[in-house]
Amino acid sequence: KQEVTQIPAALSVPEGENLVLNCSFTDSAIYNLQWFRQDPGKGLTSLLLIQSSQREQTSGRLNASLDKSSGRSTLYIAASQPGDSATYLCAVSKRSSNTGKLIFGQGTTLQVKP
Amino acid sequence: KAGVTQTPRYLIKTRGQQVTLSCSPISGHRSVSWYQQTPGQGLQFLFEYFSETQRNKGNFPGRFSGRQFSNSRSEMNVSTLELGDSALYLCASSWTSGSMAGELFFGEGSRLTVL
């Protein structure tokens, strides 16, 4: 059974700091991994999607890496800003043609202080 | 291009009642998935629909049901509501089903409170 873990559960940093969020998964037979952002009381906003054949994806100040063999992904946020404060979730999809079901981690709640 | 639209955004029900939530996917997307989010359990998969067919179902009791219409819009229904059904119900759409679905796009959710 696939399990996804995110560490730390919460993180507080001063503005301008570079930071790394971690995601680990127990079954390496994934099709892709997706990072989301969730603001309080809101839905999920897709940040980055990494296919299992890829090593990393970049979007602006965000960079996500994937090491499938070790079951790990990291989300790197450069030059953090107060607007980055949110909960960040990673999710993996199983390598199966039958479903696009995502398994989510519990998330890391980030606070960036001005 | 409009995103995923969920209605209603907020609703309050009492135990024993039933509720229907609606989801309109992004135009052109044919797959809709539903997830339940609670503080204790996090995000859990409910069901996935593609071309009006249920492709996969999560580990939820039969009180939870759904359907998809020919225009790809989807509804989920929860009957005989329990206090534990209080949650944020999120709908996600993608252009196709299965692992080829790629990126999922989520709506703002329907916040259900059961009293």
Side-chain angles (χ1 to χ4, degrees):
Chain A
K1 177 187 173 186
Q2 177 75 273
E3 293 183 359
V4 180
T5 304
Q6 292 186 247
I7 296 173
L11 182 63
S12 181
V13 300
E15 182 177 3
E17 194 162 295
N18 301 324
L19 58 101
V20 174
L21 307 181
N22 296 294
C23 172
S24 62
F25 45 95
T26 55
D27 186 348
S28 62
I30 65 169
Y31 193 81
N32 60 44
L33 183 146
Q34 199 166 352
W35 282 93
F36 295 91
R37 167 188 172 138
Q38 186 175 33
D39 293 290
K42 300 288 188 179
L44 275 62
T45 300
S46 177
L47 297 174
L48 290 163
L49 171 73
I50 310 178
Q51 302 288 355
S52 61
S53 58
Q54 297 175 317
R55 297 286 292 184
E56 65 178 324
Q57 281 284 352
T58 298
S59 176
R61 294 183 293 109
L62 305 179
N63 176 277
S65 68
L66 174 63
D67 184 343
K68 203 172 64 167
S69 61
S70 67
R72 296 176 66 182
S73 175
T74 61
L75 179 66
Y76 175 83
I77 302 177
S80 59
Q81 303 170 358
D84 295 330
S85 298
T87 296
Y88 291 81
L89 295 145
C90 72
V92 299
S93 68
K94 185 178 179 180
R95 189 165 188 84
S96 163
S97 62
N98 295 324
T99 177
K101 169 186 174 181
L102 294 179
I103 306 297
F104 282 86
Q106 292 287 348
T108 294
T109 299
L110 171 66
Q111 181 185 36
V112 181
K113 298 177 181 176
Chain B
K1 190 174 183 180
V4 179
T5 304
Q6 292 189 245
T7 56
R9 289 291 315 281
Y10 304 92
L11 64 166
I12 300 174
K13 294 285 187 178
T14 56
R15 281 180 298 175
Q17 288 187 309
Q18 67 95 26
V19 66
T20 299
L21 309 178
S22 178
C23 172
S24 293
I26 291 172
S27 178
H29 284 193
R30 298 171 62 193
S31 180
V32 172
S33 301
W34 289 88
Y35 290 82
Q36 181 197 64
Q37 186 177 32
T38 60
Q41 299 297 317
L43 275 150
Q44 293 185 290
F45 173 79
L46 280 158
F47 358 78
E48 177 185 11
Y49 288 90
F50 179 75
S51 293
E52 302 178 66
T53 302
Q54 187 179 90
R55 287 296 187 94
N56 198 8
K57 189 178 192 305
N59 189 25
F60 279 83
R63 300 185 296 107
F64 291 80
S65 63
R67 59 178 176 171
Q68 186 180 34
F69 302 95
S70 59
N71 62 357
S72 295
R73 189 177 70 85
S74 177
E75 289 181 347
M76 68 162 284
N77 184 276
V78 188
S79 63
T80 319
L81 284 166
E82 301 177 358
L83 296 178
D85 297 333
S86 295
L88 180 66
Y89 290 88
L90 291 161
C91 168
S93 80
S94 57
W95 72 278
T96 188
S97 178
S99 52
M100 295 293 290
E103 196 170 7
L104 262 64
F105 297 89
F106 282 80
E108 290 292 326
S110 292
R111 171 76 63 184
L112 171 65
T113 301
V114 182
L115 302 177

